[in-house]
Amino acid sequence: RAWFGPAGVVTPVHYDHHHGLLVQIVGHKRVLLWAPDAREMLRAPPAGSPLANTSPIDPAELTEGSELAGASRCVVLAPGDGLLIPMGWWHHCESLTVSFSVSFWF
């Protein structure tokens, strides 16, 4: 898939059912990552329920020093960068500038 948009475009906190590779082509994108065991901390619906792979958490509301913020890893992708997102890892993406990215799942 190809992702194109202006600064400020976000994806909700979620995980994918396959390994993924996110490659940044144009612009910059911030990716926050949480380990698969962060489900409870992210207040996700129970496994097996509708949207079980999506969290209602808005990362814009994270406060520095909070448990949730401390459990996250932050990566900023620049043109030419790629990020492997392992299956089951929670993530949130935000375009910091006009951005074009490509995702591959396997």
Side-chain angles (χ1 to χ4, degrees), residues 11-81:
T11 61
V13 176
H14 71 286
Y15 70 84
D16 297 316
H17 298 282
H18 301 283
H19 300 299
L21 180 62
L22 177 62
V23 178
Q24 191 67 21
I25 308 299
V26 173
H28 293 82
K29 183 171 282 188
R30 179 177 44 237
V31 183
L32 297 174
L33 298 153
W34 292 268
D37 63 2
R39 169 180 291 285
E40 187 174 314
M41 189 183 323
L42 290 166
R43 299 193 316 256
S49 64
L51 297 177
N53 72 324
T54 304
S55 166
I57 296 290
D58 179 357
E61 298 174 10
L62 292 179
T63 57
E64 194 172 322
S66 71
E67 180 183 15
L68 188 58
S72 69
R73 303 295 178 256
C74 180
V75 177
V76 176
L77 300 177
D81 290 343

Short mmCIF file of all heavy atoms in Angstrom, two decimals, residues 11-81:
data_model
loop_
_atom_site.label_atom_id
_atom_site.label_comp_id
_atom_site.label_asym_id
_atom_site.label_seq_id
_atom_site.Cartn_x
_atom_site.Cartn_y
_atom_site.Cartn_z
N THR A 11 -2.45 7.50 12.06
CA THR A 11 -3.17 6.24 12.12
C THR A 11 -3.47 6.00 13.60
O THR A 11 -2.69 6.42 14.46
CB THR A 11 -2.35 5.06 11.59
OG1 THR A 11 -1.18 4.91 12.38
CG2 THR A 11 -1.98 5.25 10.14
N PRO A 12 -4.56 5.33 13.92
CA PRO A 12 -4.81 5.01 15.33
C PRO A 12 -3.79 3.98 15.81
O PRO A 12 -3.16 3.29 15.01
CB PRO A 12 -6.23 4.43 15.32
CG PRO A 12 -6.41 3.90 13.94
CD PRO A 12 -5.61 4.81 13.04
N VAL A 13 -3.66 3.87 17.12
CA VAL A 13 -2.79 2.84 17.69
C VAL A 13 -3.42 1.49 17.35
O VAL A 13 -4.59 1.25 17.63
CB VAL A 13 -2.66 3.01 19.22
CG1 VAL A 13 -1.85 1.87 19.81
CG2 VAL A 13 -2.04 4.35 19.57
N HIS A 14 -2.63 0.62 16.71
CA HIS A 14 -3.14 -0.69 16.30
C HIS A 14 -1.97 -1.65 16.10
O HIS A 14 -0.82 -1.25 16.16
CB HIS A 14 -3.94 -0.57 15.00
CG HIS A 14 -3.08 -0.28 13.80
ND1 HIS A 14 -2.52 0.97 13.57
CD2 HIS A 14 -2.65 -1.08 12.80
CE1 HIS A 14 -1.81 0.93 12.46
NE2 HIS A 14 -1.86 -0.30 11.97
N TYR A 15 -2.30 -2.92 15.88
CA TYR A 15 -1.27 -3.87 15.46
C TYR A 15 -1.76 -4.60 14.23
O TYR A 15 -2.96 -4.65 13.94
CB TYR A 15 -0.90 -4.86 16.58
CG TYR A 15 -1.96 -5.88 16.93
CD1 TYR A 15 -2.09 -7.06 16.21
CD2 TYR A 15 -2.82 -5.66 18.00
CE1 TYR A 15 -3.06 -7.99 16.54
CE2 TYR A 15 -3.78 -6.59 18.34
CZ TYR A 15 -3.90 -7.75 17.60
OH TYR A 15 -4.86 -8.67 17.93
N ASP A 16 -0.83 -5.15 13.48
CA ASP A 16 -1.15 -5.91 12.27
C ASP A 16 -0.95 -7.39 12.53
O ASP A 16 -0.17 -7.79 13.40
CB ASP A 16 -0.26 -5.44 11.11
CG ASP A 16 -0.52 -3.99 10.75
OD1 ASP A 16 -1.70 -3.58 10.68
OD2 ASP A 16 0.45 -3.24 10.54
N HIS A 17 -1.63 -8.21 11.74
CA HIS A 17 -1.57 -9.66 11.89
C HIS A 17 -0.44 -10.29 11.07
O HIS A 17 -0.35 -11.52 11.01
CB HIS A 17 -2.92 -10.28 11.49
CG HIS A 17 -4.04 -9.82 12.36
ND1 HIS A 17 -4.26 -10.33 13.63
CD2 HIS A 17 -4.99 -8.88 12.18
CE1 HIS A 17 -5.30 -9.75 14.17
NE2 HIS A 17 -5.77 -8.86 13.31
N HIS A 18 0.38 -9.46 10.45
CA HIS A 18 1.53 -9.93 9.67
C HIS A 18 2.71 -9.01 9.97
O HIS A 18 2.53 -7.87 10.40
CB HIS A 18 1.23 -9.88 8.16
CG HIS A 18 0.04 -10.70 7.77
ND1 HIS A 18 0.09 -12.08 7.66
CD2 HIS A 18 -1.23 -10.37 7.49
CE1 HIS A 18 -1.09 -12.54 7.31
NE2 HIS A 18 -1.92 -11.51 7.20
N HIS A 19 3.91 -9.49 9.70
CA HIS A 19 5.08 -8.63 9.78
C HIS A 19 4.92 -7.56 8.71
O HIS A 19 4.37 -7.81 7.64
CB HIS A 19 6.37 -9.40 9.52
CG HIS A 19 6.61 -10.52 10.48
ND1 HIS A 19 6.76 -10.32 11.84
CD2 HIS A 19 6.73 -11.85 10.28
CE1 HIS A 19 6.98 -11.47 12.43
NE2 HIS A 19 6.94 -12.43 11.51
N GLY A 20 5.41 -6.35 8.99
CA GLY A 20 5.30 -5.27 8.02
C GLY A 20 6.60 -4.51 7.86
O GLY A 20 7.41 -4.44 8.79
N LEU A 21 6.78 -3.96 6.69
CA LEU A 21 7.92 -3.10 6.41
C LEU A 21 7.36 -1.77 5.93
O LEU A 21 6.62 -1.71 4.95
CB LEU A 21 8.81 -3.72 5.33
CG LEU A 21 10.04 -2.91 4.93
CD1 LEU A 21 10.98 -2.73 6.12
CD2 LEU A 21 10.77 -3.58 3.79
N LEU A 22 7.65 -0.71 6.67
CA LEU A 22 7.22 0.64 6.31
C LEU A 22 8.43 1.39 5.77
O LEU A 22 9.45 1.51 6.46
CB LEU A 22 6.66 1.35 7.55
CG LEU A 22 6.21 2.80 7.37
CD1 LEU A 22 5.07 2.90 6.36
CD2 LEU A 22 5.80 3.40 8.70
N VAL A 23 8.35 1.85 4.53
CA VAL A 23 9.45 2.56 3.88
C VAL A 23 9.02 3.99 3.59
O VAL A 23 7.97 4.22 2.98
CB VAL A 23 9.87 1.85 2.58
CG1 VAL A 23 10.99 2.61 1.88
CG2 VAL A 23 10.29 0.41 2.86
N GLN A 24 9.81 4.93 4.05
CA GLN A 24 9.52 6.35 3.84
C GLN A 24 10.16 6.79 2.53
O GLN A 24 11.38 6.63 2.34
CB GLN A 24 10.06 7.16 5.02
CG GLN A 24 9.60 8.59 5.05
CD GLN A 24 8.10 8.70 5.31
OE1 GLN A 24 7.46 7.80 5.82
NE2 GLN A 24 7.53 9.83 4.94
N ILE A 25 9.37 7.38 1.65
CA ILE A 25 9.86 7.83 0.34
C ILE A 25 10.09 9.34 0.34
O ILE A 25 11.14 9.82 -0.09
CB ILE A 25 8.86 7.45 -0.78
CG1 ILE A 25 8.50 5.97 -0.72
CG2 ILE A 25 9.40 7.85 -2.15
CD1 ILE A 25 9.65 5.01 -0.90
N VAL A 26 9.10 10.11 0.82
CA VAL A 26 9.17 11.57 0.85
C VAL A 26 8.72 12.04 2.23
O VAL A 26 7.78 11.50 2.80
CB VAL A 26 8.23 12.19 -0.23
CG1 VAL A 26 8.17 13.71 -0.10
CG2 VAL A 26 8.68 11.79 -1.63
N GLY A 27 9.38 13.04 2.77
CA GLY A 27 8.97 13.64 4.04
C GLY A 27 9.41 12.84 5.25
O GLY A 27 10.24 11.94 5.16
N HIS A 28 8.81 13.19 6.40
CA HIS A 28 9.18 12.58 7.67
C HIS A 28 7.94 12.07 8.39
O HIS A 28 6.89 12.72 8.35
CB HIS A 28 9.93 13.58 8.54
CG HIS A 28 11.26 13.95 7.99
ND1 HIS A 28 11.41 14.90 7.00
CD2 HIS A 28 12.49 13.48 8.26
CE1 HIS A 28 12.68 15.01 6.69
NE2 HIS A 28 13.37 14.15 7.45
N LYS A 29 8.09 10.93 9.04
CA LYS A 29 6.97 10.31 9.75
C LYS A 29 7.48 9.80 11.09
O LYS A 29 8.54 9.19 11.18
CB LYS A 29 6.43 9.14 8.92
CG LYS A 29 5.22 8.47 9.52
CD LYS A 29 4.63 7.48 8.52
CE LYS A 29 3.82 8.28 7.49
NZ LYS A 29 3.05 7.43 6.60
N ARG A 30 6.69 10.07 12.16
CA ARG A 30 7.03 9.55 13.49
C ARG A 30 6.20 8.30 13.74
O ARG A 30 4.99 8.27 13.51
CB ARG A 30 6.73 10.59 14.58
CG ARG A 30 7.06 10.06 15.98
CD ARG A 30 6.86 11.07 17.10
NE ARG A 30 5.62 11.80 16.98
CZ ARG A 30 5.54 13.14 16.92
NH1 ARG A 30 6.63 13.89 16.99
NH2 ARG A 30 4.38 13.73 16.83
N VAL A 31 6.89 7.26 14.22
CA VAL A 31 6.22 6.00 14.54
C VAL A 31 6.47 5.70 16.02
O VAL A 31 7.62 5.69 16.46
CB VAL A 31 6.75 4.84 13.66
CG1 VAL A 31 6.00 3.56 13.98
CG2 VAL A 31 6.65 5.19 12.18
N LEU A 32 5.39 5.49 16.76
CA LEU A 32 5.49 5.04 18.15
C LEU A 32 5.18 3.54 18.16
O LEU A 32 4.25 3.10 17.48
CB LEU A 32 4.48 5.76 19.04
CG LEU A 32 4.66 7.27 19.18
CD1 LEU A 32 3.50 7.86 19.98
CD2 LEU A 32 5.97 7.58 19.87
N LEU A 33 5.95 2.78 18.92
CA LEU A 33 5.80 1.33 18.99
C LEU A 33 5.66 0.87 20.43
O LEU A 33 6.31 1.43 21.32
CB LEU A 33 7.03 0.64 18.39
CG LEU A 33 7.31 0.93 16.91
CD1 LEU A 33 8.78 0.79 16.61
CD2 LEU A 33 6.50 -0.02 16.06
N TRP A 34 4.82 -0.15 20.63
CA TRP A 34 4.67 -0.80 21.93
C TRP A 34 4.74 -2.31 21.70
O TRP A 34 4.24 -2.82 20.69
CB TRP A 34 3.33 -0.49 22.58
CG TRP A 34 3.16 0.92 23.02
CD1 TRP A 34 3.44 1.46 24.24
CD2 TRP A 34 2.63 2.02 22.25
NE1 TRP A 34 3.13 2.79 24.27
CE2 TRP A 34 2.63 3.16 23.05
CE3 TRP A 34 2.16 2.13 20.93
CZ2 TRP A 34 2.19 4.40 22.62
CZ3 TRP A 34 1.72 3.36 20.48
CH2 TRP A 34 1.72 4.47 21.32
N ALA A 35 5.30 -3.04 22.65
CA ALA A 35 5.39 -4.50 22.56
C ALA A 35 3.99 -5.12 22.59
O ALA A 35 3.04 -4.51 23.08
CB ALA A 35 6.23 -5.03 23.72
N PRO A 36 3.87 -6.35 22.09
CA PRO A 36 2.56 -7.01 22.07
C PRO A 36 1.89 -7.12 23.44
O PRO A 36 0.66 -7.11 23.52
CB PRO A 36 2.88 -8.40 21.51
CG PRO A 36 4.09 -8.18 20.65
CD PRO A 36 4.89 -7.13 21.39
N ASP A 37 2.66 -7.18 24.51
CA ASP A 37 2.07 -7.33 25.84
C ASP A 37 1.53 -6.03 26.43
O ASP A 37 1.09 -5.99 27.57
CB ASP A 37 3.05 -7.98 26.81
CG ASP A 37 4.29 -7.14 27.06
OD1 ASP A 37 4.41 -6.02 26.51
OD2 ASP A 37 5.17 -7.61 27.81
N ALA A 38 1.47 -4.96 25.63
CA ALA A 38 0.97 -3.66 26.10
C ALA A 38 -0.55 -3.53 25.96
O ALA A 38 -1.10 -2.47 26.22
CB ALA A 38 1.67 -2.52 25.36
N ARG A 39 -1.25 -4.60 25.57
CA ARG A 39 -2.70 -4.55 25.31
C ARG A 39 -3.47 -3.91 26.46
O ARG A 39 -4.27 -3.00 26.25
CB ARG A 39 -3.25 -5.95 25.06
CG ARG A 39 -4.76 -6.01 25.05
CD ARG A 39 -5.30 -7.40 24.80
NE ARG A 39 -5.03 -7.86 23.46
CZ ARG A 39 -5.70 -7.44 22.39
NH1 ARG A 39 -6.69 -6.57 22.52
NH2 ARG A 39 -5.41 -7.89 21.19
N GLU A 40 -3.25 -4.36 27.66
CA GLU A 40 -4.00 -3.83 28.81
C GLU A 40 -3.67 -2.35 29.03
O GLU A 40 -4.57 -1.53 29.26
CB GLU A 40 -3.67 -4.64 30.07
CG GLU A 40 -4.54 -4.26 31.25
CD GLU A 40 -4.30 -5.17 32.44
OE1 GLU A 40 -4.24 -6.40 32.26
OE2 GLU A 40 -4.17 -4.62 33.55
N MET A 41 -2.41 -2.01 28.96
CA MET A 41 -1.98 -0.62 29.15
C MET A 41 -2.60 0.29 28.09
O MET A 41 -2.93 1.43 28.36
CB MET A 41 -0.45 -0.56 29.07
CG MET A 41 0.14 0.77 29.45
SD MET A 41 1.95 0.83 29.25
CE MET A 41 2.51 -0.77 29.73
N LEU A 42 -2.77 -0.25 26.87
CA LEU A 42 -3.35 0.52 25.76
C LEU A 42 -4.88 0.49 25.76
O LEU A 42 -5.51 1.07 24.89
CB LEU A 42 -2.81 -0.01 24.43
CG LEU A 42 -1.34 0.27 24.17
CD1 LEU A 42 -0.83 -0.58 23.02
CD2 LEU A 42 -1.10 1.75 23.90
N ARG A 43 -5.46 -0.18 26.74
CA ARG A 43 -6.92 -0.26 26.91
C ARG A 43 -7.62 -0.80 25.64
O ARG A 43 -8.71 -0.35 25.28
CB ARG A 43 -7.50 1.08 27.32
CG ARG A 43 -6.96 1.59 28.64
CD ARG A 43 -7.75 2.75 29.21
NE ARG A 43 -8.12 3.78 28.29
CZ ARG A 43 -7.53 4.97 28.20
NH1 ARG A 43 -6.54 5.27 29.00
NH2 ARG A 43 -7.94 5.87 27.32
N ALA A 44 -6.99 -1.76 25.00
CA ALA A 44 -7.56 -2.36 23.79
C ALA A 44 -8.70 -3.29 24.16
O ALA A 44 -8.72 -3.85 25.25
CB ALA A 44 -6.48 -3.12 23.03
N PRO A 45 -9.66 -3.48 23.26
CA PRO A 45 -10.74 -4.44 23.51
C PRO A 45 -10.15 -5.84 23.71
O PRO A 45 -9.05 -6.13 23.25
CB PRO A 45 -11.58 -4.38 22.23
CG PRO A 45 -11.22 -3.09 21.58
CD PRO A 45 -9.80 -2.80 21.98
N PRO A 46 -10.90 -6.73 24.36
CA PRO A 46 -10.40 -8.10 24.57
C PRO A 46 -10.08 -8.80 23.25
O PRO A 46 -10.75 -8.56 22.24
CB PRO A 46 -11.56 -8.80 25.29
CG PRO A 46 -12.41 -7.71 25.83
CD PRO A 46 -12.22 -6.53 24.94
N ALA A 47 -9.07 -9.65 23.27
CA ALA A 47 -8.72 -10.44 22.08
C ALA A 47 -9.96 -11.19 21.61
O ALA A 47 -10.74 -11.69 22.41
CB ALA A 47 -7.59 -11.40 22.41
N GLY A 48 -10.15 -11.25 20.31
CA GLY A 48 -11.29 -11.95 19.73
C GLY A 48 -12.52 -11.08 19.52
O GLY A 48 -13.45 -11.48 18.84
N SER A 49 -12.54 -9.89 20.11
CA SER A 49 -13.69 -9.00 19.92
C SER A 49 -13.46 -8.11 18.70
O SER A 49 -12.34 -8.01 18.21
CB SER A 49 -13.92 -8.15 21.17
OG SER A 49 -12.82 -7.30 21.39
N PRO A 50 -14.53 -7.48 18.19
CA PRO A 50 -14.35 -6.58 17.06
C PRO A 50 -13.33 -5.48 17.40
O PRO A 50 -13.30 -4.97 18.52
CB PRO A 50 -15.74 -5.98 16.84
CG PRO A 50 -16.67 -6.98 17.44
CD PRO A 50 -15.93 -7.59 18.61
N LEU A 51 -12.51 -5.16 16.46
CA LEU A 51 -11.46 -4.14 16.59
C LEU A 51 -10.48 -4.45 17.73
O LEU A 51 -9.91 -3.53 18.33
CB LEU A 51 -12.07 -2.75 16.78
CG LEU A 51 -12.90 -2.24 15.60
CD1 LEU A 51 -13.52 -0.88 15.94
CD2 LEU A 51 -12.05 -2.12 14.34
N ALA A 52 -10.28 -5.72 18.02
CA ALA A 52 -9.36 -6.11 19.10
C ALA A 52 -7.94 -5.66 18.83
O ALA A 52 -7.13 -5.57 19.75
CB ALA A 52 -9.40 -7.63 19.30
N ASN A 53 -7.63 -5.34 17.57
CA ASN A 53 -6.28 -4.90 17.23
C ASN A 53 -6.13 -3.38 17.24
O ASN A 53 -5.12 -2.85 16.78
CB ASN A 53 -5.85 -5.45 15.87
CG ASN A 53 -6.57 -4.77 14.72
OD1 ASN A 53 -7.75 -4.42 14.83
ND2 ASN A 53 -5.87 -4.58 13.62
N THR A 54 -7.12 -2.66 17.77
CA THR A 54 -7.09 -1.19 17.77
C THR A 54 -7.29 -0.66 19.19
O THR A 54 -8.16 -1.13 19.91
CB THR A 54 -8.18 -0.63 16.84
OG1 THR A 54 -8.00 -1.21 15.54
CG2 THR A 54 -8.11 0.87 16.74
N SER A 55 -6.50 0.33 19.55
CA SER A 55 -6.57 0.94 20.88
C SER A 55 -7.27 2.29 20.81
O SER A 55 -7.09 3.04 19.84
CB SER A 55 -5.16 1.14 21.42
OG SER A 55 -5.16 1.99 22.55
N PRO A 56 -8.05 2.65 21.84
CA PRO A 56 -8.67 3.98 21.87
C PRO A 56 -7.72 5.08 22.34
O PRO A 56 -8.08 6.25 22.36
CB PRO A 56 -9.81 3.79 22.87
CG PRO A 56 -9.30 2.77 23.82
CD PRO A 56 -8.48 1.82 22.97
N ILE A 57 -6.49 4.72 22.71
CA ILE A 57 -5.52 5.70 23.22
C ILE A 57 -5.16 6.71 22.12
O ILE A 57 -4.91 6.34 20.99
CB ILE A 57 -4.23 4.99 23.68
CG1 ILE A 57 -4.50 4.06 24.85
CG2 ILE A 57 -3.11 5.97 23.99
CD1 ILE A 57 -4.83 4.78 26.14
N ASP A 58 -5.12 7.98 22.48
CA ASP A 58 -4.64 9.04 21.58
C ASP A 58 -3.24 9.40 22.04
O ASP A 58 -3.07 10.02 23.09
CB ASP A 58 -5.56 10.26 21.66
CG ASP A 58 -5.09 11.40 20.76
OD1 ASP A 58 -4.01 11.28 20.12
OD2 ASP A 58 -5.79 12.42 20.71
N PRO A 59 -2.20 9.02 21.29
CA PRO A 59 -0.83 9.31 21.71
C PRO A 59 -0.54 10.78 21.94
O PRO A 59 0.38 11.12 22.66
CB PRO A 59 0.01 8.75 20.57
CG PRO A 59 -0.83 7.69 19.98
CD PRO A 59 -2.24 8.22 20.08
N ALA A 60 -1.35 11.67 21.36
CA ALA A 60 -1.14 13.11 21.59
C ALA A 60 -1.37 13.46 23.06
O ALA A 60 -0.91 14.49 23.54
CB ALA A 60 -2.07 13.93 20.70
N GLU A 61 -2.09 12.60 23.78
CA GLU A 61 -2.40 12.85 25.18
C GLU A 61 -1.39 12.21 26.14
O GLU A 61 -1.55 12.31 27.35
CB GLU A 61 -3.80 12.35 25.49
CG GLU A 61 -4.87 13.08 24.69
CD GLU A 61 -6.26 12.50 24.89
OE1 GLU A 61 -6.45 11.65 25.77
OE2 GLU A 61 -7.15 12.90 24.13
N LEU A 62 -0.37 11.52 25.61
CA LEU A 62 0.63 10.90 26.48
C LEU A 62 1.39 11.97 27.23
O LEU A 62 1.81 12.97 26.65
CB LEU A 62 1.62 10.07 25.66
CG LEU A 62 1.08 8.81 24.99
CD1 LEU A 62 2.20 8.12 24.22
CD2 LEU A 62 0.46 7.88 25.99
N THR A 63 1.58 11.75 28.49
CA THR A 63 2.36 12.69 29.29
C THR A 63 3.74 12.10 29.52
O THR A 63 3.88 10.89 29.75
CB THR A 63 1.68 12.98 30.65
OG1 THR A 63 1.49 11.75 31.35
CG2 THR A 63 0.35 13.67 30.45
N GLU A 64 4.74 12.95 29.43
CA GLU A 64 6.11 12.50 29.63
C GLU A 64 6.24 11.87 31.01
O GLU A 64 5.75 12.39 32.00
CB GLU A 64 7.07 13.69 29.50
CG GLU A 64 8.50 13.26 29.36
CD GLU A 64 9.41 14.42 29.03
OE1 GLU A 64 8.99 15.29 28.25
OE2 GLU A 64 10.52 14.44 29.57
N GLY A 65 6.87 10.72 31.06
CA GLY A 65 7.07 10.04 32.33
C GLY A 65 5.95 9.07 32.68
O GLY A 65 6.08 8.32 33.63
N SER A 66 4.84 9.06 31.91
CA SER A 66 3.76 8.12 32.20
C SER A 66 4.22 6.70 31.85
O SER A 66 5.13 6.50 31.04
CB SER A 66 2.50 8.47 31.42
OG SER A 66 2.67 8.21 30.04
N GLU A 67 3.56 5.72 32.43
CA GLU A 67 3.91 4.32 32.16
C GLU A 67 3.77 4.02 30.67
O GLU A 67 4.62 3.37 30.07
CB GLU A 67 3.02 3.39 32.97
CG GLU A 67 3.32 1.92 32.75
CD GLU A 67 2.38 1.00 33.50
OE1 GLU A 67 1.32 1.46 33.98
OE2 GLU A 67 2.71 -0.18 33.60
N LEU A 68 2.70 4.50 30.05
CA LEU A 68 2.46 4.24 28.64
C LEU A 68 3.52 4.89 27.77
O LEU A 68 4.03 4.28 26.83
CB LEU A 68 1.06 4.74 28.24
CG LEU A 68 0.59 4.36 26.86
CD1 LEU A 68 0.57 2.85 26.67
CD2 LEU A 68 -0.80 4.93 26.61
N ALA A 69 3.88 6.13 28.08
CA ALA A 69 4.94 6.80 27.32
C ALA A 69 6.26 6.08 27.52
O ALA A 69 7.04 5.91 26.57
CB ALA A 69 5.05 8.26 27.73
N GLY A 70 6.53 5.65 28.74
CA GLY A 70 7.79 4.97 29.03
C GLY A 70 7.90 3.62 28.35
O GLY A 70 9.00 3.15 28.07
N ALA A 71 6.76 2.98 28.07
CA ALA A 71 6.76 1.67 27.42
C ALA A 71 6.89 1.78 25.91
O ALA A 71 7.10 0.78 25.23
CB ALA A 71 5.48 0.92 27.77
N SER A 72 6.78 2.99 25.37
CA SER A 72 6.82 3.15 23.91
C SER A 72 8.25 3.38 23.42
O SER A 72 9.13 3.79 24.16
CB SER A 72 5.93 4.32 23.47
OG SER A 72 6.48 5.55 23.90
N ARG A 73 8.42 3.10 22.15
CA ARG A 73 9.66 3.42 21.45
C ARG A 73 9.27 4.36 20.32
O ARG A 73 8.26 4.16 19.67
CB ARG A 73 10.32 2.17 20.86
CG ARG A 73 10.63 1.08 21.88
CD ARG A 73 11.69 1.56 22.88
NE ARG A 73 11.96 0.55 23.87
CZ ARG A 73 11.52 0.58 25.12
NH1 ARG A 73 10.74 1.56 25.53
NH2 ARG A 73 11.84 -0.36 25.96
N CYS A 74 10.09 5.38 20.08
CA CYS A 74 9.78 6.37 19.05
C CYS A 74 10.85 6.35 17.98
O CYS A 74 12.04 6.37 18.30
CB CYS A 74 9.69 7.76 19.69
SG CYS A 74 9.32 9.07 18.51
N VAL A 75 10.41 6.31 16.73
CA VAL A 75 11.32 6.34 15.59
C VAL A 75 10.82 7.42 14.63
O VAL A 75 9.61 7.50 14.38
CB VAL A 75 11.32 4.99 14.85
CG1 VAL A 75 12.19 5.03 13.62
CG2 VAL A 75 11.74 3.86 15.78
N VAL A 76 11.71 8.25 14.12
CA VAL A 76 11.35 9.22 13.09
C VAL A 76 11.99 8.75 11.79
O VAL A 76 13.22 8.61 11.71
CB VAL A 76 11.80 10.65 13.44
CG1 VAL A 76 11.49 11.60 12.28
CG2 VAL A 76 11.10 11.13 14.71
N LEU A 77 11.14 8.49 10.79
CA LEU A 77 11.61 8.03 9.50
C LEU A 77 11.83 9.21 8.57
O LEU A 77 10.98 10.11 8.48
CB LEU A 77 10.60 7.07 8.87
CG LEU A 77 10.29 5.80 9.66
CD1 LEU A 77 9.20 4.99 8.94
CD2 LEU A 77 11.53 4.97 9.87
N ALA A 78 12.94 9.19 7.86
CA ALA A 78 13.28 10.20 6.85
C ALA A 78 13.29 9.49 5.49
O ALA A 78 13.29 8.25 5.43
CB ALA A 78 14.65 10.79 7.16
N PRO A 79 13.32 10.24 4.40
CA PRO A 79 13.33 9.61 3.08
C PRO A 79 14.45 8.56 2.98
O PRO A 79 15.59 8.80 3.37
CB PRO A 79 13.59 10.78 2.13
CG PRO A 79 12.98 11.95 2.83
CD PRO A 79 13.30 11.72 4.29
N GLY A 80 14.07 7.39 2.50
CA GLY A 80 15.01 6.29 2.36
C GLY A 80 15.06 5.35 3.55
O GLY A 80 15.64 4.27 3.46
N ASP A 81 14.46 5.72 4.67
CA ASP A 81 14.45 4.87 5.86
C ASP A 81 13.36 3.81 5.75
O ASP A 81 12.30 4.05 5.17
CB ASP A 81 14.19 5.67 7.14
CG ASP A 81 15.34 6.58 7.52
OD1 ASP A 81 16.47 6.37 7.02
OD2 ASP A 81 15.11 7.49 8.34
#
